[in-house]
Amino acid sequence: MKSCVRVMSMATAALVLLAPLARGQATAEYRLHNDVPGTWPQQAVRGARGMVATDEQLGSQAGVEILKRGGNAVDAAVAVAFALAVVEPAAGNIGGGGFMLVRLADGRTTFFDYREVAPGKATRDMYIGADGKLDKVASVVGYKAVAVPGTVAGLELALKTYGKLKLADVMGPAIHLAEDGFPVSEKLARQLEEERPDLQQFTASRRIFLNDGKLFHAGDTFKQPELAATLKRIAKNGAAEFYRGETAKMFVDDIQRMGGLITLEDLVQYRPKVREALHANYELDGHKWDVISSPPPSSGGVAIIEAMNMLRDVPLKGWDDMQSLHMAVETMRRVFADRAAYLADPDFAKVPVDGLTSDCYAKELAATIDPEHASSSKTVKAGTPHICGVSAENSAPPEEIVSLNDGPHTTHFSVVDAAGNAVASTYTLNNSYGSKATSVAGFLLNDEMDDFTTQPGVPNALFGLIQSDANAIAPGHRPLSSMTPTILVRDGKLSFVTGSPGGPTIISATLLSVLNWMRLGMDAQAAINAPRFHHQWLPDVIVMEKDFPASMEAALNAQGYTTRRRGHIGLVNAIGIDPQTGERLGAADPRDNGAAVGY
Ligand code: DON
């Protein structure tokens, strides 16, 4: 495993600390992907009717199977989510949480929030030892890291709200994949071997994911009978099975025996939420665009819209154009400074969404960019967001603490059906293989507790980050997320469905895919293949994919930027719509063998 460095800072001191990684953090972004095809597809997959783009061929096929059986995009998305819980155990899940953004063909939009919540027994200082030091393992590995999962409740709610098929129907492909097994890919075999040091600490993880210590090899058939049995019970009894049925009891008995905090009451109390998606409008070359994205407790939609607003009047020419790159990087820097200070669970914190996404505020922020030189994150601080017509002085001052998140795995998928309904969904266990602990009911458990501020003023365990106080641990609170499922509408018609994993790089990868499609006019696959870059305010460094042109890096260095290379950033599985033909253009991310399947 390659080691990497996560950096945190206090806004006041811009102090940079280097934090060691928690063991087992097999960071997908930092790995060299041996199995990434040498030649990336240059064309999107075309489909006249439906399209599904996910990290895994089998996941995409599960979605298409449901579309072909008469399901709509939401039916297919729920089928994909359950199928990825089987075939992509690093991130696909029923033991984690996520977000699903739906836009129906008639224009209605809904955001399903099934983010995990902190258990009732969780306390602000639960990861701090008697010596006052943060336990850098407990919030990441093992049962204490687990937040109350939301996925099953959220998927059922989405299906009940908009689906046409029954839960048992859409879960069919997942049950089949778990029961009869599927061929282990080279990627999965390698990941599981890399995760061995952590997975082997937990009995069920060792038995199920390490083949009782013998490991899996590419081509082996991977069957998951416990998971199949759990999925069948859920298919029969609904989400109630997961939250109060036999599965709930198995999960809770296990977690309590092993020192975790979650109780049956926590499961019974869990509720997914329906939230209003964020919208922002743009006019470009005579076309009207609506950018629809994720509200808090994600920081992603606010960040994307704030960035798009700041770049509204900037003539973007491409990422081989120094000025475009410079303006995009400085925009990211400012957006991330605001993210750190203002974003948290909106049910408990006052998040100034209107100010952060207002045009007047964006203009003020954009005016702080020196068009010729790199700014310094020592001097760029969170701004004072305000809506047009209200002066900044009357707005809430920023918190003085930085909140940054990063992570190695999560998964995003996109679905469009024949009628033009669309789903963008990102869901996660947080770290790759979550807490590494597996329930006796056959599913991996998340380590989402580490997305909270585990100790104010001290870097959290997984990513070495300091986070804002508004994001402190408290029972029932949702930890701040960066997940950014996003949908674009052009002249009233569906245009682009996108999103990514990657902790804070989710925001940059998703933003770049949107800019590439909407502002730079790239075709769907080019928008995904284009080299990515990321700046998150602190550390004050541009992270660039290894394929980014060396000449651009040199030009950035000359302008005063510090740069660092990374294997890849994000895994964007997107779908574009051809405005001429209406065809669905499936653009899966070739960085890690994503697959688009259409018909
Ligand atoms: O919700 C979040 O922002 C994080 N739990 C996501 C972690 C992540 O994306 C790791 N992935 N690559």
Side-chain angles (χ1 to χ4, degrees):
M1 192 212 323
K2 286 182 164 248
S3 71
C4 71
V5 169
R6 306 282 183 193
V7 183
M8 47 62 59
S9 178
M10 299 286 289
T12 43
L15 171 69
V16 174
L17 299 179
L18 304 182
L21 283 176
R23 193 155 63 82
Q25 189 186 348
T27 53
E29 288 102 334
Y30 290 83
R31 265 188 233 132
L32 284 176
H33 287 251
N34 300 328
D35 52 349
V36 169
T39 319
W40 286 11
Q42 298 305 306
Q43 301 297 328
V45 173
R46 288 184 171 257
R49 311 190 68 200
M51 183 66 62
V52 183
T54 82
D55 275 350
E56 295 288 336
Q57 180 82 21
L58 290 169
S60 301
Q61 280 169 357
V64 167
E65 182 184 326
I66 294 300
L67 291 178
K68 286 187 174 167
R69 278 166 43 193
N72 64 19
V74 176
D75 292 307
V78 174
V80 167
F82 279 112
L84 291 178
V86 180
V87 300
E88 193 188 16
N93 69 80
I94 59 171
F99 303 133
M100 183 186 289
L101 175 61
V102 178
R103 180 185 184 269
L104 299 181
D106 65 11
R108 279 180 289 159
T109 59
T110 305
F111 185 82
F112 293 99
D113 166 0
Y114 37 98
R115 182 73 164 163
E116 303 92 325
V117 300
K121 286 191 190 152
T123 55
R124 187 182 168 90
D125 297 337
M126 63 185 276
Y127 300 113
I128 303 171
D131 56 0
K133 293 213 173 102
L134 187 61
D135 180 339
K136 296 200 172 214
V137 175
S139 64
V140 177
V141 177
Y143 294 86
K144 275 212 172 70
V146 187
V148 184
T151 296
V152 175
L155 295 179
E156 183 185 69
L157 178 63
L159 192 75
K160 279 191 172 152
T161 310
Y162 289 129
K164 291 183 357 192
L165 303 181
K166 296 207 164 21
L167 189 61
D169 297 330
V170 299
M171 290 183 69
I175 292 169
H176 161 69
L177 288 162
E179 191 158 50
D180 300 332
F182 63 94
V184 172
S185 63
E186 281 189 15
K187 176 175 90 175
L188 181 58
R190 195 189 58 244
Q191 278 181 356
L192 291 172
E193 186 169 1
E194 285 173 358
E195 299 289 346
R196 173 158 53 175
D198 285 318
L199 289 173
Q200 71 187 5
Q201 297 177 42
F202 303 100
T203 311
S205 302
R206 182 176 185 280
R207 181 165 44 76
I208 296 170
F209 294 105
L210 300 178
N211 197 13
D212 250 334
K214 298 187 288 292
L215 294 178
F216 288 103
H217 302 98
D220 289 352
T221 300
F222 183 27
K223 296 185 182 178
Q224 300 174 73
E226 293 98 331
L227 180 57
T230 296
L231 292 173
K232 280 185 188 169
R233 289 192 305 273
I234 296 171
K236 185 162 169 243
N237 303 325
E241 166 64 31
F242 190 89
Y243 292 92
R244 53 183 70 132
E246 186 186 337
T247 306
K249 292 192 184 75
M250 289 166 83
F251 172 44
V252 165
D253 285 353
D254 199 21
I255 209 162
Q256 289 184 353
R257 202 178 54 248
M258 301 306 293
L261 300 187
I262 297 176
T263 62
L264 202 52
E265 183 61 13
D266 287 325
L267 290 178
V268 169
Q269 290 300 327
Y270 182 82
R271 294 286 178 279
K273 299 214 164 173
V274 173
R275 298 189 192 272
E276 296 243 334
L278 300 184
H279 288 258
N281 298 310
Y282 304 92
E283 275 200 44
L284 199 69
D285 302 330
H287 296 287
K288 287 187 172 18
W289 291 83
D290 184 12
V291 174
I292 310 164
S293 196
S294 44
S298 173
S299 57
V302 167
I304 295 268
I305 292 171
E306 188 178 339
M308 300 282 294
N309 290 347
M310 287 177 69
L311 292 169
R312 191 189 287 266
D313 299 324
V314 174
L316 295 180
K317 296 196 180 117
W319 309 122
D320 52 0
D321 170 64
M322 188 55 204
Q323 199 55 21
S324 304
L325 196 53
H326 169 62
M327 294 304 287
V329 167
E330 291 301 333
T331 295
M332 287 177 182
R333 185 199 302 277
R334 285 156 179 79
V335 162
F336 271 96
D338 280 349
R339 178 201 185 277
Y342 292 112
L343 272 296
D345 183 345
D347 294 340
F348 300 95
K350 201 166 168 348
V351 184
V353 174
D354 291 344
L356 288 164
T357 56
S358 106
D359 254 330
C360 302
Y361 177 58
K363 276 204 179 75
E364 282 169 20
L365 277 190
T368 67
I369 299 175
D370 176 338
E372 315 244 308
H373 302 102
S375 353
S376 162
S377 294
K378 285 186 186 150
T379 50
V380 172
K381 301 282 193 301
T384 309
H386 62 95
I387 55 172
C388 298
V390 173
S391 84
E393 286 80 60
N394 296 333
S395 298
E399 279 215 27
E400 283 293 296
I401 296 179
V402 179
S403 165
L404 300 173
N405 261 329
D406 200 356
H409 224 304
T410 288
T411 190
H412 174 83
F413 60 89
S414 299
V415 182
V416 175
D417 67 18
N421 302 304
V423 171
S425 180
T426 317
Y427 75 143
T428 188
L429 291 165
N430 193 25
N431 201 358
S432 213
Y433 297 88
S435 64
K436 324 289 178 177
T438 302
S439 163
V440 289
F443 56 91
L444 277 150
L445 305 173
N446 70 80
D447 63 333
E448 218 69 59
M449 291 299 285
D450 198 58
D451 272 352
F452 279 115
T453 305
T454 45
Q455 185 175 21
V458 172
N460 68 345
L462 189 52
F463 307 127
L465 307 168
I466 287 187
Q467 308 195 80
S468 113
D469 204 47
N471 186 37
I473 301 171
H477 287 214
R478 283 159 153 81
L480 180 59
S481 174
S482 297
M483 295 187 286
T484 316
T486 298
I487 294 176
L488 269 59
V489 176
R490 180 183 182 256
D491 297 333
K493 292 202 177 106
L494 180 67
S495 178
F496 197 56
V497 186
T498 187
S500 178
T505 69
I506 289 173
I507 291 170
S508 311
T510 305
L511 173 66
L512 289 173
S513 73
V514 168
L515 293 172
N516 290 348
W517 175 259
M518 176 180 150
R519 294 287 305 272
L520 297 172
M522 293 186 195
D523 65 48
Q525 194 65 52
I528 302 315
N529 293 2
R532 297 184 184 135
F533 55 94
H534 169 73
H535 195 297
Q536 59 181 40
W537 180 43
L538 292 164
D540 193 346
V541 61
I542 305 176
V543 182
M544 316 178 84
E545 286 192 325
K546 63 179 171 14
D547 292 337
F548 216 92
S551 56
M552 294 310 294
E553 185 173 18
L556 286 165
N557 295 151
Q559 209 169 347
Y561 287 105
T562 304
T563 51
R564 198 175 73 214
R565 292 284 178 160
R566 183 191 273 202
H568 73 245
I569 293 171
L571 292 172
V572 179
N573 296 310
I575 301 173
I577 306 294
D578 184 324
Q580 261 76 50
T581 64
E583 273 176 304
R584 285 76 172 107
L585 309 169
D589 203 321
R591 288 165 179 78
D592 205 4
N593 291 342
V597 179
Y599 70 107

